[in-house]
Amino acid sequence: SACLVGSEMCIRDSLYPLGLLGLIGIPILIIIYIIKNKYTEQTIASTYIWKLSERFLKRKKPISKLRGLISLILQCLIVLFLSFLISSPSLIIKGGASDYCFIVDGSASMNKKENGNTRFNLAKDEVEKLISESKNGSSYTIIFIGNDTQILCEGLENKKKAIEILSELKATNIASDTVDAISYAQAYFNDNASIKTYLISDKAYTTKNVELVNVASTDVNYSIFNCNYKLHAATYNEDGTVNTPAKLQITGEVMAYNDNTDLNLELKVNDSAAATQSVRAFDNNASSFTFEVERESFNSLEVSILNEDNLDLDNHYIVYDLVSEHNYKALIVSENPFYIAATLEAYGKIDTIDVKNYEEYELDTPTGYGLYIFDSNCTPDVLPTDGTIWMFNPTKSISGSGFAVLNANKEISSATLERSNVYGEEKNLVEGYIDSENYKLVVKRYTEYSISRNFQTLFTCDGKPAIFTGTTTGKSKNREIVFSFDLHYSNLAMSVNALRLFSNMLDFSFPTVISSSNIISGDELSYSVLPQTKNMRLIAPSGTSSYLDCSGSAGTVKITEVGTYELVVSLENGTEKKFSIYSNYPEDENKNDVTVASIEGVSENNNRNGSFSLMIILYICVALFFVADWMVYCYEQHQLY
């Protein structure tokens, strides 16, 4: 590159130096000029020649000798400037460009609209404007705060490419902060204290070495949050008539930002309008509301704000019922079911309890229950393919059960059950158990079993498994809890430990796939894997699907959209369970508390070299030389002598 002496500008090395090979055309033109025939044949009248000869004898025209040389010079200049044009030279301006670092906020609040355009689009427009107006030769680093903090480009000098990267960004639906982004920007500042850092957001920040570009205005917004519900059962008079009907009660809060107004609320139950009310909302102050409707149950309920504002995502709150898909139904197969049935009813965790004797079960082999209980002499020949299985004193080996009978109904005087070391999820079965001499479990008759490796022993009797749990060895992998003794030959019914044990067994037998149908966007959704699960698929509000990890007994997945998710659980027996989860807009995104977004250090002004493209000047020069050469050619061809 060649620099001008005493100047702040220089010509940079060409972007495509091979274009200078076009200069070979100059000597080629000169050679052609030397060897070409300078005479041309023209047909003219002879009288004209005699008259013209008299003029040539009197004087000469020196300019006629230069016409060919002028054309050659112009053509050489055209070749010269075309070669420069192909090589794309540019003018370097020392200190004329800058390094830029843009931190773009893509959190949920950036979806709010300002005069018909989202804040995020306004943010992208601001960054695009800064890039477009920057000097050529500047570099661009873009940090995006979305579902996580990403560095999209680093030190990129191509304006067009930087703007393309920016145009592909979309705002997320989660709450986010600038901690990681500022940490990255601090590292760039440490390496180059002259870098210009911009934070483009709709939130208020106290900044240092960071220029805040706030794209928010004072447009109004309303939100609904903290909704809860209660189902109140009906009460009856002695004659059986209804005293107070069953009621569904919904409570919650609404907020108005930058406005004082009456908010119109609507309650829908099972997608049908059930009630409306008006609530007075004051600027940045929460107002409570309560709905009461006569309902015994529901599949879904939704509370909505009907007023229009600049964000619809936070105007709805939806709750889905989870009981129906979790299948809290139990079947007892027993000759004396009274004690077991009374125990299940006492805990109130079962919606339906059916009872069959052994002959009825073997004849019908019913399915569709969440829990199957087989008592003593009612040991089945074939295990159910769905649900959890409890067995009390099974007296025969069953294919696929994972255990085998060694010695049935062994008589003993009295034996105390000893608690074993339990690990994993099965540890919950003995939670709260009182391991003391005063509360020991005692049996007088039990059956000896051999058990497979996938079983854990909860209690032992004479060193043999007395109560153990595991899964069946068949395809469905049902959960099993096995007692080696008949309840009538133990003190279990009279022990305080029975209360804890049966409660734990019910929780273990009815694992909730999800514990709540409501979550905040950006949080982790916790899920449990049913024993007979084949796969689990989560469908987002946008329609995208993802398969969840089912390798363990539980897992988590991050929720990143606002709206209704559907969790589809496919079981090995070919059936499916579907759960609806509503992801709420993060209310924290509506708050605009002043926070700090600063970079520590002393900024400098050592800008990078800028560049000015000479392409336009070269285009103009080539065009002018071409026109001049064409005029010389026309003069030679049409000048009358």
Side-chain angles (χ1 to χ4, degrees):
S1 57
C3 293
L4 301 177
V5 178
S7 173
E8 293 297 319
M9 297 185 295
C10 65
I11 301 297
R12 184 182 75 174
D13 290 338
S14 300
L15 185 62
Y16 304 107
L18 290 179
L20 297 177
L21 292 176
L23 296 175
I24 298 174
I26 294 176
I28 293 175
L29 279 174
I30 295 173
I31 293 173
I32 293 173
Y33 177 78
I34 293 173
I35 65 175
K36 78 171 184 176
N37 185 2
K38 296 181 174 58
Y39 298 97
T40 58
E41 292 185 1
Q42 287 184 330
T43 303
I44 57 176
S46 58
T47 54
Y48 176 76
I49 294 175
W50 288 111
K51 291 180 180 179
L52 192 62
S53 62
E54 294 178 359
R55 295 168 58 189
F56 272 106
L57 291 173
K58 294 178 180 178
R59 61 184 179 86
K60 295 180 179 179
K61 290 186 177 181
I63 191 64
S64 64
K65 297 179 180 181
L66 298 176
R67 282 199 295 264
L69 184 59
I70 292 173
S71 181
L72 174 63
I73 293 172
L74 290 173
Q75 291 173 14
C76 288
L77 288 173
I78 291 173
V79 172
L80 176 65
F81 278 80
L82 278 175
S83 299
F84 283 141
L85 190 62
I86 295 172
S87 65
S88 300
S90 59
L91 188 67
I92 300 299
I93 305 173
K94 290 186 177 181
S98 300
D99 294 298
Y100 294 90
C101 178
F102 299 105
I103 302 174
V104 184
D105 183 2
S107 58
S109 61
M110 296 293 280
N111 289 297
K112 294 179 180 179
K113 291 185 177 180
E114 304 282 351
N115 299 319
N117 205 356
T118 65
R119 291 177 179 176
F120 190 69
N121 285 338
L122 295 176
K124 291 197 293 185
D125 291 343
E126 290 290 338
V127 178
E128 183 177 344
K129 180 181 178 182
L130 289 169
I131 293 175
S132 299
E133 293 178 351
S134 65
K135 301 295 184 182
N136 290 334
S138 297
S139 72
Y140 314 102
T141 297
I142 301 176
I143 302 174
F144 177 57
I145 306 174
N147 292 333
D148 50 20
T149 302
Q150 306 172 55
I151 300 174
L152 302 180
C153 62
E154 187 178 59
L156 181 65
E157 296 185 28
N158 189 322
K159 284 186 179 183
K160 183 178 179 181
K161 184 63 178 176
I163 293 173
E164 286 178 359
I165 292 173
L166 192 69
S167 65
E168 295 173 357
L169 297 179
K170 293 182 179 180
T172 63
N173 284 307
I174 70 172
S176 55
D177 56 47
T178 61
V179 173
D180 289 339
I182 292 297
S183 177
Y184 294 146
Q186 180 72 62
Y188 292 123
F189 184 85
N190 293 341
D191 292 338
N192 176 15
S194 298
I195 193 168
K196 296 181 179 180
T197 304
Y198 290 85
L199 172 58
I200 301 90
S201 177
D202 63 343
K203 301 177 181 66
Y205 288 96
T206 299
T207 61
K208 176 184 176 183
N209 293 324
V210 177
E211 184 171 338
L212 176 64
V213 179
N214 197 320
V215 294
S217 69
T218 57
D219 285 1
V220 296
N221 182 51
Y222 313 121
S223 65
I224 182 169
F225 53 97
N226 289 344
C227 288
N228 296 285
Y229 75 92
K230 287 184 179 180
L231 282 169
H232 300 278
T235 61
Y236 298 89
N237 300 315
E238 292 182 359
D239 59 359
T241 58
V242 176
N243 181 23
T244 56
K247 288 185 179 180
L248 170 63
Q249 184 183 68
I250 303 98
T251 60
E253 293 180 299
V254 291
M255 184 84 81
Y257 298 92
N258 303 311
D259 192 20
N260 296 322
T261 189
D262 292 321
L263 295 180
N264 299 314
L265 307 184
E266 180 184 52
L267 170 66
K268 288 184 178 180
V269 179
N270 301 336
D271 295 326
S272 297
T276 59
Q277 66 173 279
S278 179
V279 177
R280 184 65 179 174
F282 300 94
D283 185 12
N284 292 306
N285 288 298
S287 300
S288 301
F289 67 86
T290 300
F291 279 105
E292 274 194 4
V293 292
E294 293 186 6
R295 295 277 177 168
E296 292 183 353
S297 62
F298 68 92
N299 293 324
S300 67
L301 61 87
E302 176 183 1
V303 183
S304 301
I305 298 174
L306 301 181
N307 304 58
E308 291 187 5
D309 62 356
N310 64 341
L311 182 69
D312 184 63
L313 292 174
D314 57 354
N315 292 354
H316 307 272
Y317 202 103
I318 303 177
V319 178
Y320 294 97
D321 178 45
L322 298 176
V323 173
S324 58
E325 285 298 337
H326 275 124
N327 188 9
Y328 294 102
K329 294 172 60 179
L331 173 65
I332 303 173
V333 183
S334 174
E335 300 299 333
N336 297 293
F338 174 77
Y339 172 71
I340 297 175
T343 301
L344 296 183
E345 290 176 357
Y347 288 101
K349 296 183 179 181
I350 309 296
D351 290 335
T352 303
I353 301 174
D354 293 333
V355 177
K356 292 181 181 294
N357 59 36
Y358 178 78
E359 289 76 16
E360 290 172 335
Y361 176 81
E362 289 294 325
L363 183 65
D364 188 25
T365 59
T367 60
Y369 290 91
L371 174 62
Y372 296 85
I373 302 175
F374 299 97
D375 186 19
S376 296
N377 295 326
C378 295
T379 305
D381 294 326
V382 180
L383 292 175
T385 58
D386 60 344
T388 300
I389 302 169
W390 293 2
M391 282 188 277
F392 293 93
N393 191 32
T395 54
K396 60 185 176 183
S397 301
I398 311 169
S399 175
S401 65
F403 64 88
V405 176
L406 298 179
N407 187 4
N409 293 321
K410 181 180 178 180
E411 294 282 353
I412 53 176
S413 58
S414 180
T416 301
L417 301 188
E418 299 293 336
R419 179 178 169 181
S420 302
N421 292 324
V422 188
Y423 53 88
E425 185 186 9
E426 288 75 9
K427 189 175 182 180
N428 295 331
L429 286 168
V430 293
E431 183 180 357
Y433 178 79
I434 303 174
D435 199 359
S436 125
E437 291 296 329
N438 297 328
Y439 297 98
K440 286 289 187 181
L441 298 178
V442 179
V443 299
K444 294 183 178 181
R445 189 170 74 177
Y446 73 96
T447 298
E448 294 182 354
Y449 305 96
S450 65
I451 61 177
S452 62
R453 293 181 178 179
N454 71 325
F455 278 84
Q456 282 199 62
T457 300
L458 306 179
F459 295 90
T460 61
C461 180
D462 291 338
K464 306 292 192 309
I467 304 176
F468 51 92
T469 183
T471 58
T472 59
T473 58
K475 187 177 181 181
S476 58
K477 302 294 183 186
N478 299 76
R479 292 187 177 189
E480 291 181 282
I481 300 176
V482 181
F483 288 71
S484 68
F485 52 90
D486 191 314
L487 293 178
H488 298 88
Y489 289 89
S490 76
N491 70 337
L492 182 63
M494 297 178 290
S495 171
V496 68
N497 278 320
L499 301 174
R500 294 172 174 81
L501 185 58
F502 275 101
S503 178
N504 294 342
M505 287 170 58
L506 286 170
D507 291 338
F508 181 78
S509 301
F510 293 99
T512 53
V513 178
I514 51 174
S515 58
S516 173
S517 67
N518 225 261
I519 193 171
I520 302 296
S521 181
D523 288 352
E524 297 277 349
L525 172 68
S526 298
Y527 62 90
S528 298
V529 181
L530 298 176
Q532 59 269 34
T533 296
K534 181 179 180 181
N535 61 61
M536 299 177 71
R537 183 164 51 99
L538 186 65
I539 305 173
S542 61
T544 58
S545 296
S546 59
Y547 283 90
L548 306 185
D549 181 12
C550 299
S551 59
S553 60
T556 59
V557 60
K558 188 173 183 179
I559 298 299
T560 58
E561 296 183 26
V562 172
T564 297
Y565 281 79
E566 187 174 56
L567 179 60
V568 182
V569 181
S570 299
L571 304 178
E572 292 288 356
N573 61 9
T575 61
E576 286 187 343
K577 295 178 180 293
K578 296 181 179 180
F579 303 91
S580 295
I581 307 109
Y582 188 75
S583 172
N584 291 281
Y585 179 88
E587 180 62 22
D588 286 347
E589 280 292 286
N590 284 322
K591 300 175 183 177
N592 198 15
D593 300 329
V594 178
T595 54
V596 177
S598 297
I599 294 176
E600 298 304 320
V602 180
S603 62
E604 298 177 358
N605 238 349
N606 300 323
N607 290 343
R608 64 191 288 129
N609 292 337
S611 63
F612 177 77
S613 177
L614 299 175
M615 299 289 286
I616 296 178
I617 296 175
L618 293 175
Y619 273 120
I620 295 173
C621 291
V622 169
L624 290 175
F625 294 146
F626 179 81
V627 171
D629 185 52
W630 179 76
M631 293 175 65
V632 171
Y633 171 78
C634 291
Y635 182 81
E636 288 181 345
Q637 294 296 320
H638 303 291
Q639 176 67 34
L640 294 179
Y641 297 96

